[in-house]
Amino acid sequence: MAPGTDFILDALVREKISHLFMVPGGLVDPFLPALGRFPQIKPIVAAQEGGAAYMADGYARASGRFGAALGIGGPGLGNMITAMAAARTDSSRVLILSGEVAVAMEGLGAFQDASYETLDDPLLAAPVTRFSTSADAVQNLNHLFRRALMEMMGPPSGPVHLSLPHDVLTGTVSVAHEPIDPALCHPHGIDAEMAGRALAALRGGGTDGPAVRIAILAGAGVEHAAAGDKLIALAERFSIPVATTLRAKGVFPEDHPLSLGVFGYAGTRHATQALLSSGIDLLIVLGSGLNERDTMHWSSRLAPARGIVSVNLSAKALAMETARGLGVIGDAGAFLDILAGASNATALEKGVTVRKEWIAAVRSGPRFYDTDHLDSDAVPIHPARVVGALRKALPRDGILLVDSGAHRAFAGHYFDAYTPCTYISATNLGPMGWGIPAAIGVACARPGTRVALITGDGCMQMHGIEIAVAARYRLPVTYVVLNNAALGNVWLRAHTLGPVPDELTRIPDHDWAGFARALGVAAETVRDPDQIAPALARAVATDGPCLIDFKTERNAPTPVYDFAEEARRWSYHE
């Protein structure tokens, strides 16, 4: 027999969760002494509940498991709504636990009552989670907790929420949590009939020979399936070029001779040239929802001669994104196994020579736009130079997070990633400031690994206070602030509309280094391009967190030229 708090904490231990991100408050008081009984879990106290949820999101993305966040219901849960929404749109596994008044007190006017009788916290969280409910009796805690984990792990995976009344936290539970079987969380199956039908386009028939100019677009499904090694092996065996979505950046090494880099928003010249070429025969998409940014704004030129084979665990995603019967319901790793099988291998082998010539022609041209910016001596500093210098300063296995803003385009374009889960960003909803606390979660999930975040001054205004948490727990996070005294992407559009939009999208040039030092973070300001590399070297060598306030040029065009061109030519009616 154990209190509800101990049941939950023991369950987290059994699921190999090492950290709980939280903000204390009256409705979760029973957890505070309980945490002392579970030294296997390190509590990390965030500045705000939204920050705690973002930290859990970062932990989930870096650990391959899930992240857990705890706060009070009502205002605390309200602060976590955007974080849950960001996790849902990126299929990130986050468990949100919120405290609630005792069941007998619901609706009586108790302080911060957000139960079914008032604000209805579970209903508030329902639209932004995979599952949200109240464990309104201690007898329900075991099976509702287990259901929450199953709903979270998917497929489709995503955040879940449990509201926990006081009497559930203090009541006793007579059973212990049994860990979820990983095989239930990510089934490695595939619809073989659909796969065979789709791959007929590869093998050809009649007068048509096998497809020759084949490319792969790897999405987050490859990462979720832990199939990066399979993808590399297949690409090398048959000389197949590989592009990735921005969300999956790093799942295929970007310094590999078969890498095309990112396709879509902030993508490379190589990926654009290969995938939008009129000469491409077949594109194989693994685990991408083919949203706006993954498709170069739904480019009409993304039209291989034999179509697009799209593999996804979501039938809904396939129904929205595919045509000509080439959709395959299943796991990306399982599809790679089928692709390497005997009948398909024969077809793939016949195109190796042509593909080698094709890849060589594509890669003979420049990979990036505006490469002179990587060595720019401009003052204020050009953002590309900072991004390029950070790639050199950060260890190969270091982890980069990227926040939301103009800096996302510079990082996506110029920063090479080499292994899965080393380039992490909230790419779909993209809330500003997400990366500041998320980097803390990443550092907790991957101890001993250097973590860096590229963020902006607008993001710092939203969640900058969370760097105090990195200082408190001495986490090795390098905060790279590209400070252009503006809301970057918004200003780039708005300043062309007149003086009022220009003024409304500027930000005072705050001293973010001074702000960081006041919170216990080592920090410096850099204005001289020659000081970029030395400052980053010092930051990466710092024992604990460090922040660098780079004064950057606001009117630096982002390298999204291909994406912008396709957006201009696109029409919903096409």
Side-chain angles (χ1 to χ4, degrees):
M1 304 288 283
T5 53
D6 292 42
F7 169 84
I8 291 171
L9 295 175
D10 177 66
L12 295 180
V13 172
R14 289 169 181 256
E15 295 289 349
K16 300 180 181 179
I17 302 303
S18 58
H19 291 73
L20 176 64
F21 305 95
M22 62 180 294
V23 174
L27 295 174
V28 293
D29 275 356
F31 273 102
L32 304 187
L35 280 162
R37 298 191 287 270
F38 290 87
Q40 307 97 313
I41 297 179
K42 183 175 179 63
I44 302 292
V45 178
Q48 192 240 32
E49 291 89 355
Y54 285 139
M55 292 173 196
D57 189 0
Y59 181 96
R61 295 174 194 242
S63 69
R65 295 187 292 277
F66 67 88
L70 171 69
I72 66 169
L77 186 72
N79 285 337
M80 294 192 245
I81 292 296
T82 302
M84 287 187 279
R88 174 157 184 166
T89 60
D90 279 359
S91 299
S92 185
R93 297 170 174 173
V94 177
L95 171 65
I96 300 294
L97 304 169
S98 66
E100 189 49 79
V101 300
V103 172
M105 301 296 293
E106 292 177 358
L108 295 180
F111 180 59
Q112 294 183 332
D113 178 1
S115 67
Y116 288 126
E117 298 297 330
T118 56
L119 295 179
D120 198 349
D121 269 350
L123 184 62
L124 183 68
V128 294
T129 57
R130 295 292 180 194
F131 176 69
S132 176
T133 194
S134 173
D136 51 7
V138 72
Q139 294 86 351
N140 295 340
L141 183 57
N142 178 38
H143 69 263
L144 288 178
F145 186 87
R146 189 171 187 81
R147 179 181 172 187
L149 293 194
M150 288 300 303
E151 296 279 1
M152 173 185 67
M153 293 177 182
S157 58
V160 294
H161 163 246
L162 279 179
S163 177
L164 302 167
H166 185 270
D167 36 354
V168 172
L169 298 181
T170 57
T172 55
V173 182
S174 58
V175 296
H177 172 76
E178 289 295 327
I180 304 294
D181 184 345
L184 297 174
C185 306
H186 191 100
H188 293 283
I190 196 161
D191 189 307
E193 181 181 348
M194 294 180 76
R197 188 169 65 239
L199 286 172
L202 162 66
R203 295 188 294 268
T207 59
D208 293 328
V212 175
R213 288 183 175 84
I214 301 166
I216 291 175
L217 176 61
V222 177
E223 178 186 300
H224 294 160
D229 289 342
K230 288 184 179 182
L231 176 59
I232 294 171
L234 183 88
E236 290 178 344
R237 180 180 172 190
F238 300 112
S239 297
I240 302 174
V242 178
T244 75
T245 64
L246 185 58
R247 167 66 179 82
K249 187 176 172 73
V251 77
F252 192 85
E254 292 190 292
D255 59 350
H256 194 287
L258 292 169
S259 168
L260 298 172
V262 168
F263 177 74
Y265 185 80
T268 66
R269 288 175 179 264
H270 291 167
T272 301
Q273 181 179 343
L275 271 57
L276 298 189
S277 165
S278 60
I280 185 172
D281 296 326
L282 185 70
L283 177 63
I284 298 171
V285 179
L286 302 175
S288 165
L290 290 179
N291 58 31
E292 178 193 13
R293 291 192 165 189
D294 291 357
T295 58
M296 201 74 78
H297 199 85
W298 307 290
S299 172
S300 60
R301 294 193 293 147
L302 188 62
R306 299 196 188 181
I308 299 173
V309 173
S310 185
V311 182
N312 203 299
L313 286 167
S314 168
K316 178 181 177 182
L318 291 175
M320 294 175 64
E321 73 189 28
T322 59
R324 294 198 284 177
L326 300 185
V328 181
I329 295 175
D331 170 73
F335 186 83
L336 286 168
D337 290 336
I338 291 177
L339 199 55
S343 60
N344 297 310
T346 300
L348 288 170
E349 286 167 352
K350 292 181 180 179
V352 167
T353 300
V354 174
R355 277 195 298 278
K356 285 182 177 179
E357 294 172 354
W358 180 43
I359 296 163
V362 169
R363 287 178 58 99
S364 66
R367 187 176 184 87
F368 302 126
Y369 283 102
D370 305 328
T371 53
D372 55 314
H373 292 162
L374 292 167
D375 300 308
S376 172
D377 290 325
V379 177
I381 295 169
H382 196 286
R385 178 154 182 185
V386 179
V387 173
L390 179 60
R391 175 62 280 178
K392 294 175 182 177
L394 201 64
R396 185 177 177 86
D397 66 347
I399 300 174
L400 177 70
L401 290 91
V402 181
D403 229 320
S404 195
H407 48 272
R408 184 197 298 278
F410 292 110
H413 194 70
Y414 295 113
F415 189 96
D416 279 344
Y418 308 123
T419 56
C421 301
T422 56
Y423 184 98
I424 299 175
S425 186
T427 53
N428 288 314
L429 193 65
M432 289 176 61
W434 165 92
I436 299 167
I440 291 169
V442 170
C444 291
R446 301 281 287 274
T449 303
R450 192 71 205 188
V451 177
L453 165 70
I454 295 177
T455 189
D457 46 335
C459 294
M460 286 295 293
Q461 288 193 145
M462 295 194 178
H463 287 283
I465 192 64
E466 299 292 356
I467 67 172
V469 180
R472 177 178 180 177
Y473 298 100
R474 302 303 300 161
L475 296 170
V477 180
T478 297
Y479 291 96
V480 175
V481 182
L482 301 184
N483 181 358
N484 59 10
L487 297 171
N489 263 344
V490 184
W491 182 87
L492 285 169
R493 296 189 304 270
H495 84 281
T496 65
L497 304 177
V500 173
D502 179 298
E503 176 61 27
L504 290 174
T505 52
R506 290 177 184 253
I507 298 174
D509 184 9
H510 295 301
D511 179 8
W512 291 114
F515 173 80
R517 284 191 291 270
L519 297 174
V521 176
E524 59 182 294
T525 300
V526 174
R527 292 183 172 85
D528 184 347
D530 290 338
Q531 293 304 309
I532 296 172
L536 287 170
R538 289 190 291 273
V540 170
T542 300
D543 180 19
C546 182
L547 181 144
I548 308 175
D549 182 1
F550 289 102
K551 305 299 185 181
T552 57
E553 169 59 46
R554 76 168 64 90
N555 199 17
T558 52
V560 295
Y561 306 118
D562 296 325
F563 185 87
E565 179 184 350
E566 294 303 314
R568 284 191 295 269
R569 75 164 73 213
W570 183 84
S571 167
Y572 175 79
H573 300 287
E574 289 181 348

